[in-house]
Amino acid sequence: MNCVQFQEIVHDLARDAGLDQPARRDALAHADSCPRCDELLSESQTLTAALRSLAAKDGALGASERVEEALIGAFRQQHSAAAHSNRPWQWGLASVAGLAALVLLSVLVLRHPVVSPPTHGNGASATPSGAAVAPESAASSQQPDASVESAANANSNFSDADTEYASAFVALPFNGETAPVGDEVVVRESLSPAALANLGLPVSEANAGENVLADFVVDEDGTPRAVRLVE
Amino acid sequence: MDWLSGHSEDDLVRQMLAGDEGAFVRVYRRWQAPIYRFALRMSGNRSIAEDVTQEVFMSLIRDGGRFDPALGSLSGYLFGIARNHVRKRYDRDRFLVPFVENPIADVHSNGHNSRNGNGVHPSIVVAPIDLGRGETIAMVRDAVLSLPGHYREVVVLCDLQEMSYEEAALVLECAVGTVRSRLHRARTLLTEKLSELQSPESKAAAGGMRQ
């Protein structure tokens, strides 16, 4: 090994890194025989020792606890935000379910058309759908699957003089459930004020002395499901 | 590697990314001090070192998914981020104060730089780290800080952080041979600088001893 070759590896030799044993042995042999290279090695070893002292002195240094606290806060915030950003799929799922329910409801309504209520006479019966009732004349001619449009056309045959006004159907609470359980009919009855009161319907001074017309949704087993008042 | 408790670094990072705060704390506590010291030795400023440390782990929180164990160790990944942040600070500060191209040439025999009194980039104030252990350590610290950035980082990584050439090459994104040659040049500069920083009394004493 000559001096140029030695100077190329002197720092590796001083750091005791990056040299295999034969190269190290050759380098040390050259330093023993060359005072200038020996001095270079000595300087480099001094530098290595000084750098290691510096590393050891600063070895306990680290970031303050404030940094750790800030980072943990940021970590929690990041994952909290990530949890929130994962929720849209849940909302999407709920929206799809709601839409499906709406479509199902629409299909049911179309299968059992909703018609406005003008009817004639007592004891009229029709095929109801939930809280709606078909007029007597229409009920006798419509099939259960008839459309709303055809029912509306049927209604257009009534004159203004024939128009009736009815309240919305009110579920009768003592029957447990209000949902239809099979084929139902609407039965019109004339009720006395006492009967009205027994059903829990309001009796005013105006109707206290006379009977009132009422439509009952009656299940196929005869159980009344809902009632409405008709004028 | 007992800090991993039987897990791989990849597992730990994956747990952390899944929201496991304990995994994040373990990673942080294992690597915050080396990252902080790297940034401190590169900048000479504790405030910058804390900022860089925080930014490194914020990057891990936000973009930890980019860590690929096939490309290198977690420490290499973190030191690489730290290095980029330190360089960003330099780039930003360079608009305010001209960068010292050859700080060693500006060093006076009393060990102080004509620009800011400690041989460090003028935009950086050296924190008053405890100098009680000896003048030599303080001189070495100042000498390291006065090196040009690409020499300083190899000294910090290889000599102060005790990384192998291969690990340093991954952090610095260069060839192992480049690390080796830069370190050789950096140490030569440091030796010259420390020789300059020696007080006249100690030089005289050394001369007297030879005689």
Side-chain angles (χ1 to χ4, degrees):
Chain A
M1 181 174 286
N2 58 34
C3 292
V4 174
Q5 290 170 329
F6 182 85
Q7 287 169 20
E8 285 176 0
I9 54 108
V10 62
H11 294 297
D12 288 336
L13 187 62
R15 296 177 71 246
D16 196 14
L19 284 182
D20 56 23
Q21 278 301 322
R24 181 177 172 76
R25 202 166 39 243
D26 288 350
L28 288 174
H30 176 79
D32 283 342
S33 63
C34 175
R36 174 64 192 139
C37 289
D38 189 43
E39 190 180 342
L40 282 178
L41 177 60
S42 177
E43 286 174 353
S44 187
Q45 285 172 333
T46 302
L47 176 63
T48 299
L51 289 169
R52 286 180 181 163
S53 296
L54 175 60
K57 174 148 180 69
D58 292 350
L61 293 176
S64 66
E65 287 185 6
R66 178 188 60 80
V67 175
E68 180 172 336
E69 286 166 10
L71 285 166
I72 289 174
F75 183 87
R76 288 175 183 161
Q77 196 173 6
Q78 168 87 5
H79 288 282
S80 165
H84 278 290
S85 66
N86 286 338
R87 286 186 184 172
W89 71 266
Q90 293 173 334
W91 286 108
L93 194 63
S95 301
V96 169
L99 197 60
L102 194 63
V103 169
L104 186 63
L105 189 64
S106 302
V107 169
L108 286 172
V109 167
L110 289 174
R111 285 173 62 87
H112 302 280
V114 179
V115 184
S116 57
T119 55
H120 292 281
N122 296 337
S125 67
T127 303
S129 74
V133 62
E136 180 186 23
S137 58
S140 60
S141 60
Q142 282 185 28
Q143 298 299 312
D145 289 336
S147 69
V148 173
E149 187 180 1
S150 61
N153 290 338
N155 289 342
S156 67
N157 294 328
F158 292 102
S159 66
D160 289 341
D162 295 327
T163 301
E164 288 181 345
Y165 297 97
S167 65
F169 273 105
V170 177
L172 292 173
F174 44 79
N175 287 321
E177 60 176 8
T178 56
V181 294
D183 290 335
E184 295 164 325
V185 294
V186 172
V187 177
R188 178 161 292 180
E189 292 292 344
S190 175
L191 299 176
S192 67
L196 276 179
N198 284 339
L199 289 170
L201 297 173
V203 179
S204 65
E205 288 183 6
N207 61 16
E210 58 187 29
N211 283 4
V212 175
L213 288 176
D215 287 341
F216 287 89
V217 177
V218 180
D219 218 344
E220 62 184 359
D221 62 356
T223 305
R225 293 287 174 189
V227 63
R228 70 177 181 180
L229 300 180
V230 181
E231 284 184 36
Chain B
M1 284 291 182
D2 56 347
W3 71 280
L4 290 168
S5 298
H7 295 88
S8 68
E9 287 182 340
D10 189 25
D11 287 342
L12 212 52
V13 172
R14 215 176 296 137
Q15 288 170 18
M16 189 201 80
L17 292 175
D20 184 342
E21 187 178 310
F24 171 71
V25 170
R26 279 168 65 191
V27 171
Y28 175 78
R29 289 185 178 164
R30 170 61 184 87
W31 291 112
Q32 63 87 12
I35 295 294
Y36 173 85
R37 289 196 295 270
F38 169 77
L40 178 64
R41 287 159 181 162
M42 287 299 294
S43 67
N45 184 292
R46 290 189 177 194
S47 175
I48 291 175
E50 291 222 331
D51 287 350
V52 168
T53 305
Q54 187 159 332
E55 283 301 319
V56 167
F57 287 95
M58 279 302 297
S59 298
L60 185 65
I61 290 171
R62 284 194 302 259
D63 306 316
R66 292 183 185 173
F67 167 62
D68 183 354
L71 299 179
S73 64
L74 180 61
S75 66
Y77 177 76
L78 296 175
F79 275 105
I81 298 172
R83 177 185 181 239
N84 289 336
H85 281 291
V86 169
R87 288 166 70 101
K88 274 183 193 170
R89 291 297 288 252
Y90 269 108
D91 289 343
R92 196 180 66 187
D93 293 351
R94 195 161 49 184
F95 288 106
L96 303 174
V97 182
F99 191 78
V100 181
E101 291 297 337
N102 186 7
I104 291 175
D106 294 332
V107 175
H108 294 174
S109 60
N110 62 359
H112 294 290
N113 187 293
S114 60
R115 299 185 184 237
N116 65 359
N118 58 10
V120 184
H121 186 282
S123 64
I124 291 169
V125 178
V126 176
I129 299 169
D130 179 20
L131 298 175
R133 185 159 169 185
E135 189 185 355
T136 304
I137 288 178
M139 282 197 310
V140 173
R141 182 182 292 121
D142 286 354
V144 171
L145 284 167
S146 69
L147 287 172
H150 61 292
Y151 290 143
R152 192 185 321 152
E153 58 192 9
V154 288
V155 170
V156 170
L157 291 175
C158 295
D159 276 333
L160 299 180
Q161 301 285 142
E162 298 183 344
M163 278 190 186
S164 67
Y165 292 154
E166 289 77 13
E167 289 170 323
L170 282 173
V171 172
L172 302 176
E173 297 175 321
C174 65
V176 171
T178 305
V179 173
R180 192 171 176 275
S181 63
R182 281 185 189 172
L183 184 63
H184 183 88
R185 177 64 183 147
R187 286 176 62 100
T188 302
L189 288 171
L190 276 178
T191 305
E192 291 170 2
K193 179 175 170 58
L194 288 172
S195 176
E196 288 177 27
L197 293 180
Q198 275 188 317
S199 66
E201 294 79 17
S202 42
K203 280 185 178 176
M209 285 178 71
R210 286 199 185 109
Q211 290 169 1

mmCIF file of all heavy atoms in Angstrom, chain A residues 64-87:
data_model
loop_
_atom_site.group_PDB
_atom_site.id
_atom_site.type_symbol
_atom_site.label_atom_id
_atom_site.label_comp_id
_atom_site.label_asym_id
_atom_site.label_seq_id
_atom_site.Cartn_x
_atom_site.Cartn_y
_atom_site.Cartn_z
ATOM 1 N N SER A 64 -39.411 17.570 23.168
ATOM 2 C CA SER A 64 -40.120 17.780 24.436
ATOM 3 C C SER A 64 -41.447 17.013 24.448
ATOM 4 O O SER A 64 -41.942 16.571 23.404
ATOM 5 C CB SER A 64 -40.391 19.269 24.626
ATOM 6 O OG SER A 64 -41.292 19.719 23.644
ATOM 7 N N GLU A 65 -42.001 16.879 25.639
ATOM 8 C CA GLU A 65 -43.277 16.171 25.781
ATOM 9 C C GLU A 65 -44.403 16.893 25.035
ATOM 10 O O GLU A 65 -45.386 16.278 24.622
ATOM 11 C CB GLU A 65 -43.643 16.038 27.256
ATOM 12 C CG GLU A 65 -42.773 15.019 27.975
ATOM 13 C CD GLU A 65 -43.213 14.804 29.405
ATOM 14 O OE1 GLU A 65 -44.253 15.352 29.806
ATOM 15 O OE2 GLU A 65 -42.497 14.084 30.122
ATOM 16 N N ARG A 66 -44.232 18.197 24.877
ATOM 17 C CA ARG A 66 -45.238 18.982 24.152
ATOM 18 C C ARG A 66 -45.435 18.438 22.734
ATOM 19 O O ARG A 66 -46.553 18.364 22.226
ATOM 20 C CB ARG A 66 -44.775 20.445 24.097
ATOM 21 C CG ARG A 66 -45.668 21.383 23.351
ATOM 22 C CD ARG A 66 -45.007 22.741 23.193
ATOM 23 N NE ARG A 66 -43.741 22.661 22.464
ATOM 24 C CZ ARG A 66 -43.649 22.585 21.140
ATOM 25 N NH1 ARG A 66 -44.733 22.563 20.411
ATOM 26 N NH2 ARG A 66 -42.471 22.519 20.552
ATOM 27 N N VAL A 67 -44.330 18.007 22.115
ATOM 28 C CA VAL A 67 -44.407 17.471 20.753
ATOM 29 C C VAL A 67 -45.204 16.172 20.751
ATOM 30 O O VAL A 67 -46.075 15.961 19.902
ATOM 31 C CB VAL A 67 -42.989 17.253 20.170
ATOM 32 C CG1 VAL A 67 -43.055 16.590 18.808
ATOM 33 C CG2 VAL A 67 -42.243 18.577 20.072
ATOM 34 N N GLU A 68 -44.910 15.321 21.739
ATOM 35 C CA GLU A 68 -45.632 14.046 21.809
ATOM 36 C C GLU A 68 -47.133 14.289 22.024
ATOM 37 O O GLU A 68 -47.972 13.660 21.371
ATOM 38 C CB GLU A 68 -45.079 13.168 22.929
ATOM 39 C CG GLU A 68 -45.802 11.829 23.032
ATOM 40 C CD GLU A 68 -45.151 10.869 24.006
ATOM 41 O OE1 GLU A 68 -43.943 11.017 24.255
ATOM 42 O OE2 GLU A 68 -45.856 9.978 24.506
ATOM 43 N N GLU A 69 -47.443 15.207 22.911
ATOM 44 C CA GLU A 69 -48.864 15.502 23.173
ATOM 45 C C GLU A 69 -49.550 16.021 21.912
ATOM 46 O O GLU A 69 -50.670 15.611 21.586
ATOM 47 C CB GLU A 69 -48.980 16.541 24.292
ATOM 48 C CG GLU A 69 -48.664 15.965 25.670
ATOM 49 C CD GLU A 69 -48.438 17.061 26.707
ATOM 50 O OE1 GLU A 69 -48.704 18.244 26.402
ATOM 51 O OE2 GLU A 69 -47.985 16.732 27.815
ATOM 52 N N ALA A 70 -48.872 16.914 21.213
ATOM 53 C CA ALA A 70 -49.457 17.476 19.990
ATOM 54 C C ALA A 70 -49.681 16.384 18.952
ATOM 55 O O ALA A 70 -50.717 16.347 18.277
ATOM 56 C CB ALA A 70 -48.547 18.562 19.433
ATOM 57 N N LEU A 71 -48.716 15.466 18.851
ATOM 58 C CA LEU A 71 -48.828 14.411 17.846
ATOM 59 C C LEU A 71 -49.929 13.417 18.195
ATOM 60 O O LEU A 71 -50.662 12.965 17.315
ATOM 61 C CB LEU A 71 -47.484 13.694 17.693
ATOM 62 C CG LEU A 71 -46.428 14.485 16.924
ATOM 63 C CD1 LEU A 71 -45.049 13.867 17.106
ATOM 64 C CD2 LEU A 71 -46.782 14.558 15.442
ATOM 65 N N ILE A 72 -50.045 13.096 19.475
ATOM 66 C CA ILE A 72 -51.112 12.167 19.870
ATOM 67 C C ILE A 72 -52.479 12.812 19.601
ATOM 68 O O ILE A 72 -53.410 12.164 19.127
ATOM 69 C CB ILE A 72 -50.952 11.737 21.341
ATOM 70 C CG1 ILE A 72 -49.732 10.804 21.461
ATOM 71 C CG2 ILE A 72 -52.201 11.036 21.854
ATOM 72 C CD1 ILE A 72 -49.381 10.411 22.874
ATOM 73 N N GLY A 73 -52.568 14.111 19.876
ATOM 74 C CA GLY A 73 -53.809 14.829 19.553
ATOM 75 C C GLY A 73 -54.108 14.779 18.063
ATOM 76 O O GLY A 73 -55.247 14.530 17.653
ATOM 77 N N ALA A 74 -53.074 14.994 17.271
ATOM 78 C CA ALA A 74 -53.255 14.955 15.811
ATOM 79 C C ALA A 74 -53.635 13.549 15.348
ATOM 80 O O ALA A 74 -54.471 13.384 14.448
ATOM 81 C CB ALA A 74 -51.974 15.400 15.126
ATOM 82 N N PHE A 75 -53.034 12.537 15.983
ATOM 83 C CA PHE A 75 -53.343 11.149 15.629
ATOM 84 C C PHE A 75 -54.822 10.855 15.898
ATOM 85 O O PHE A 75 -55.519 10.287 15.058
ATOM 86 C CB PHE A 75 -52.455 10.205 16.443
ATOM 87 C CG PHE A 75 -52.636 8.754 16.112
ATOM 88 C CD1 PHE A 75 -51.918 8.162 15.091
ATOM 89 C CD2 PHE A 75 -53.541 7.977 16.822
ATOM 90 C CE1 PHE A 75 -52.087 6.830 14.779
ATOM 91 C CE2 PHE A 75 -53.725 6.645 16.518
ATOM 92 C CZ PHE A 75 -52.990 6.065 15.488
ATOM 93 N N ARG A 76 -55.286 11.279 17.079
ATOM 94 C CA ARG A 76 -56.701 11.032 17.421
ATOM 95 C C ARG A 76 -57.628 11.758 16.457
ATOM 96 O O ARG A 76 -58.641 11.216 16.016
ATOM 97 C CB ARG A 76 -56.977 11.488 18.851
ATOM 98 C CG ARG A 76 -56.337 10.567 19.866
ATOM 99 C CD ARG A 76 -56.508 11.096 21.267
ATOM 100 N NE ARG A 76 -55.824 10.242 22.246
ATOM 101 C CZ ARG A 76 -55.491 10.618 23.452
ATOM 102 N NH1 ARG A 76 -55.770 11.840 23.864
ATOM 103 N NH2 ARG A 76 -54.885 9.778 24.270
ATOM 104 N N GLN A 77 -57.257 12.985 16.148
ATOM 105 C CA GLN A 77 -58.087 13.782 15.242
ATOM 106 C C GLN A 77 -58.133 13.139 13.858
ATOM 107 O O GLN A 77 -59.187 13.050 13.236
ATOM 108 C CB GLN A 77 -57.501 15.188 15.136
ATOM 109 C CG GLN A 77 -58.463 16.197 14.549
ATOM 110 C CD GLN A 77 -57.903 17.611 14.632
ATOM 111 O OE1 GLN A 77 -56.761 17.822 15.016
ATOM 112 N NE2 GLN A 77 -58.702 18.568 14.272
ATOM 113 N N GLN A 78 -56.979 12.662 13.412
ATOM 114 C CA GLN A 78 -56.895 12.042 12.086
ATOM 115 C C GLN A 78 -57.817 10.832 12.009
ATOM 116 O O GLN A 78 -58.553 10.657 11.050
ATOM 117 C CB GLN A 78 -55.445 11.616 11.838
ATOM 118 C CG GLN A 78 -55.227 10.701 10.635
ATOM 119 C CD GLN A 78 -55.020 11.481 9.354
ATOM 120 O OE1 GLN A 78 -54.944 12.705 9.389
ATOM 121 N NE2 GLN A 78 -54.966 10.804 8.246
ATOM 122 N N HIS A 79 -57.772 10.000 13.059
ATOM 123 C CA HIS A 79 -58.566 8.776 12.996
ATOM 124 C C HIS A 79 -60.031 9.032 13.322
ATOM 125 O O HIS A 79 -60.889 8.287 12.867
ATOM 126 C CB HIS A 79 -57.924 7.705 13.874
ATOM 127 C CG HIS A 79 -56.669 7.184 13.251
ATOM 128 N ND1 HIS A 79 -56.678 6.277 12.229
ATOM 129 C CD2 HIS A 79 -55.373 7.525 13.436
ATOM 130 C CE1 HIS A 79 -55.444 6.055 11.825
ATOM 131 N NE2 HIS A 79 -54.629 6.806 12.553
ATOM 132 N N SER A 80 -60.290 10.085 14.066
ATOM 133 C CA SER A 80 -61.679 10.486 14.262
ATOM 134 C C SER A 80 -62.261 10.978 12.942
ATOM 135 O O SER A 80 -63.368 10.617 12.558
ATOM 136 C CB SER A 80 -61.743 11.596 15.308
ATOM 137 O OG SER A 80 -62.982 12.218 15.279
ATOM 138 N N ALA A 81 -61.476 11.785 12.217
ATOM 139 C CA ALA A 81 -61.924 12.278 10.916
ATOM 140 C C ALA A 81 -62.109 11.120 9.940
ATOM 141 O O ALA A 81 -63.047 11.094 9.156
ATOM 142 C CB ALA A 81 -60.914 13.276 10.362
ATOM 143 N N ALA A 82 -61.193 10.140 10.032
ATOM 144 C CA ALA A 82 -61.293 8.989 9.134
ATOM 145 C C ALA A 82 -62.568 8.210 9.428
ATOM 146 O O ALA A 82 -63.249 7.740 8.509
ATOM 147 C CB ALA A 82 -60.073 8.087 9.315
ATOM 148 N N ALA A 83 -62.913 8.103 10.732
ATOM 149 C CA ALA A 83 -64.146 7.383 11.089
ATOM 150 C C ALA A 83 -65.363 8.107 10.533
ATOM 151 O O ALA A 83 -66.297 7.493 10.022
ATOM 152 C CB ALA A 83 -64.247 7.263 12.598
ATOM 153 N N HIS A 84 -65.326 9.451 10.587
ATOM 154 C CA HIS A 84 -66.446 10.219 10.045
ATOM 155 C C HIS A 84 -66.550 10.050 8.539
ATOM 156 O O HIS A 84 -67.636 9.929 7.987
ATOM 157 C CB HIS A 84 -66.277 11.701 10.376
ATOM 158 C CG HIS A 84 -66.741 12.030 11.759
ATOM 159 N ND1 HIS A 84 -68.066 12.002 12.115
ATOM 160 C CD2 HIS A 84 -66.055 12.360 12.869
ATOM 161 C CE1 HIS A 84 -68.181 12.318 13.406
ATOM 162 N NE2 HIS A 84 -66.974 12.539 13.890
ATOM 163 N N SER A 85 -65.378 10.034 7.898
ATOM 164 C CA SER A 85 -65.405 9.944 6.435
ATOM 165 C C SER A 85 -65.870 8.566 5.987
ATOM 166 O O SER A 85 -66.241 8.375 4.850
ATOM 167 C CB SER A 85 -64.023 10.247 5.859
ATOM 168 O OG SER A 85 -63.122 9.234 6.247
ATOM 169 N N ASN A 86 -65.848 7.581 6.916
ATOM 170 C CA ASN A 86 -66.333 6.247 6.549
ATOM 171 C C ASN A 86 -67.847 6.156 6.629
ATOM 172 O O ASN A 86 -68.432 5.179 6.200
ATOM 173 C CB ASN A 86 -65.728 5.195 7.478
ATOM 174 C CG ASN A 86 -64.270 4.956 7.145
ATOM 175 O OD1 ASN A 86 -63.850 5.242 6.032
ATOM 176 N ND2 ASN A 86 -63.519 4.453 8.101
ATOM 177 N N ARG A 87 -68.519 7.172 7.206
ATOM 178 C CA ARG A 87 -69.958 7.064 7.401
ATOM 179 C C ARG A 87 -70.807 7.250 6.152
ATOM 180 O O ARG A 87 -71.911 6.739 6.105
ATOM 181 C CB ARG A 87 -70.408 8.045 8.469
ATOM 182 C CG ARG A 87 -69.996 7.580 9.849
ATOM 183 C CD ARG A 87 -70.559 8.450 10.916
ATOM 184 N NE ARG A 87 -70.064 8.018 12.223
ATOM 185 C CZ ARG A 87 -70.256 8.681 13.337
ATOM 186 N NH1 ARG A 87 -70.929 9.803 13.323
ATOM 187 N NH2 ARG A 87 -69.787 8.255 14.472
#
